[in-house]
Amino acid sequence: MNTLKAWLAAARLRTLPLSVSGIIVGASLGSPYLISDSLNVTFVLFPEYTPVYKSPLFWLAILTTIGFQVLSNFANDYGDGIKGTDKNREGEQRMVASGLITPKQMKLGMYITAGLTLLLASVLIFMAFGNEHFVLAFVFFNLAIAAVIAAIKYTVGKSAYGYSGKGDIFVFLFFGLLAVLGTFFLFAKSLNWLIVLPAASIGLFSTAVLNLNNMRDIVNDAEVGKNTLVVKLGSVKAKQYHAFLLCFGMLCALGYTLLTYHRPLQLLYIVAFVPMLLNLKKVFQNKEPRLLDGELKKVALSTFAFAVLFSLFI
């Protein structure tokens, strides 16, 4: 494997659609680039719809979030690699553990990614608030710093929270509540507490992906002392927890639609729930944890599909 391929593998590109799902939902809910009430669809089918992706703020938010996700992936590769956690792991090959990228190189990659991401975040915050809302800009910049710290501390350091079963909380907060509500606020400059419902959906679905990852790795994690929530709960309760995450996430989305309902197309996102329900069946039937690796992509892409379909017909 050449150097470029090694770094692309470490970036784990398959995780990126999930990471931007909250941005898509938050931006479409808070953006002035909203879908009109017409049932005609955009481009040829939706002539009156100005898509949210025409906003530069949207793309800056997407790029910033991708930066946070890649930083998190580099940090996980580094943290698990130097601790020996990845020695016998299932799933994608890790670069530090395999020796394709040295710990020193990965640490440098983390520093560069963190710096570029904070730069993008600074530009995003300035574009959203300008010089007129200094306090809000200050709060959001500190949230960006907190996101960098959270991305690194998941597996790096003696107090890495991913090793003590707290990863689920941070994923729910950063991928769900902060991503959706924060993006909504960047566009709307206000908060609508109904947005907590779709934010919770994204957070719960994202946590379900982490839970699948930890169910897949339960044997290896238990052996190396990585006490994820799955290791603490055990396989049976982890499956029940997985059902709660997916089902409650679906209910939150349906609850928001019920409270804001004005046309049938709002429910189109239910299509994305089908593979999630199939995943649930697969999880409860599973006897061999390593076979769950393919299920991660199913739930991650279903979450992305949910975000897109939800945002199309708000």
Side-chain angles (χ1 to χ4, degrees):
M1 183 181 293
N2 62 39
T3 303
L4 177 59
K5 285 185 178 179
W7 282 103
L8 288 175
R12 295 167 64 198
L13 301 182
R14 75 173 185 172
T15 64
L16 300 186
L18 177 66
S19 70
V20 301
S21 296
I23 306 302
I24 293 170
V25 170
S28 18
L29 286 167
S31 173
Y33 297 86
L34 292 177
I35 300 172
S36 71
D37 288 332
S38 169
L39 289 181
N40 299 316
V41 188
T42 307
F43 312 129
V44 179
L45 302 176
F46 268 139
E48 297 180 20
Y49 167 43
T50 305
V52 69
Y53 66 72
K54 287 193 175 181
S55 165
L57 209 61
F58 172 75
W59 288 110
L60 269 172
I62 289 286
L63 290 173
T64 302
T65 302
I66 288 174
F68 285 131
Q69 182 62 55
V70 171
L71 172 63
S72 177
N73 292 340
F74 284 173
N76 291 349
D77 199 303
Y78 173 81
D80 284 341
I82 63 174
K83 291 176 181 178
T85 308
D86 287 337
K87 188 176 180 181
N88 298 307
R89 76 182 299 275
E90 300 290 343
E92 291 179 314
Q93 184 183 28
R94 293 293 179 89
M95 298 300 102
V96 171
S98 65
L100 292 169
I101 296 176
T102 68
K104 184 177 179 180
Q105 289 171 330
M106 185 61 78
K107 188 180 286 189
L108 178 61
M110 289 162 56
Y111 289 149
I112 293 171
T113 306
L116 290 173
T117 302
L118 284 176
L119 177 62
L120 284 168
S122 299
V123 176
L124 170 64
I125 292 165
F126 179 76
M127 282 193 65
F129 300 117
N131 296 319
E132 301 173 0
H133 304 283
F134 175 78
V135 174
L136 289 174
F138 179 77
V139 169
F140 269 80
F141 186 73
N142 279 277
L143 286 173
I145 293 174
V148 167
I149 294 171
I152 294 172
K153 291 294 290 180
Y154 180 68
T155 59
V156 177
K158 293 181 180 179
S159 58
Y161 60 87
Y163 280 70
S164 57
K166 299 183 182 72
D168 298 58
I169 297 171
F170 281 82
V171 166
F172 177 76
L173 290 176
F174 281 92
F175 279 74
L177 298 189
L178 183 58
V180 177
L181 294 176
T183 306
F184 178 87
F185 194 90
L186 284 172
F187 279 93
K189 308 298 187 296
S190 64
L191 279 179
N192 178 341
W193 292 107
L194 274 179
I195 309 303
V196 170
L197 290 171
S201 293
I202 296 293
L204 291 164
F205 296 154
S206 300
T207 307
V209 175
L210 175 65
N211 189 57
L212 274 171
N213 182 83
N214 292 339
M215 282 195 287
R216 180 199 64 192
D217 294 340
I218 184 171
V219 176
N220 181 65
D221 287 347
E223 288 176 352
V224 299
K226 186 176 183 179
N227 293 314
T228 63
L229 188 58
V230 170
V231 171
K232 292 183 176 184
L233 290 174
S235 293
V236 174
K237 288 185 178 179
K239 290 178 180 180
Q240 295 169 353
Y241 171 59
H242 190 67
F244 164 78
L245 292 172
L246 290 182
C247 293
F248 194 57
M250 295 177 199
L251 286 175
C252 285
L254 291 169
Y256 177 83
T257 302
L258 179 65
L259 292 169
T260 62
Y261 182 81
H262 59 276
R263 58 180 174 181
L265 278 174
Q266 282 180 271
L267 290 165
L268 184 63
Y269 63 76
I270 290 176
V271 172
F273 292 167
V274 175
M276 291 187 185
L277 293 171
L278 292 175
N279 163 260
L280 209 51
K281 180 181 178 182
K282 189 93 170 182
V283 165
F284 275 92
Q285 291 176 340
N286 178 261
K287 304 295 182 183
E288 188 64 42
R290 63 183 180 82
L291 298 179
L292 291 172
D293 185 60
E295 295 300 303
L296 274 76
K297 184 186 294 185
K298 183 184 293 182
V299 177
L301 291 179
S302 297
T303 303
F304 179 72
F306 161 76
V308 172
L309 294 174
F310 177 90
S311 299
L312 277 176
F313 302 102
I314 296 171

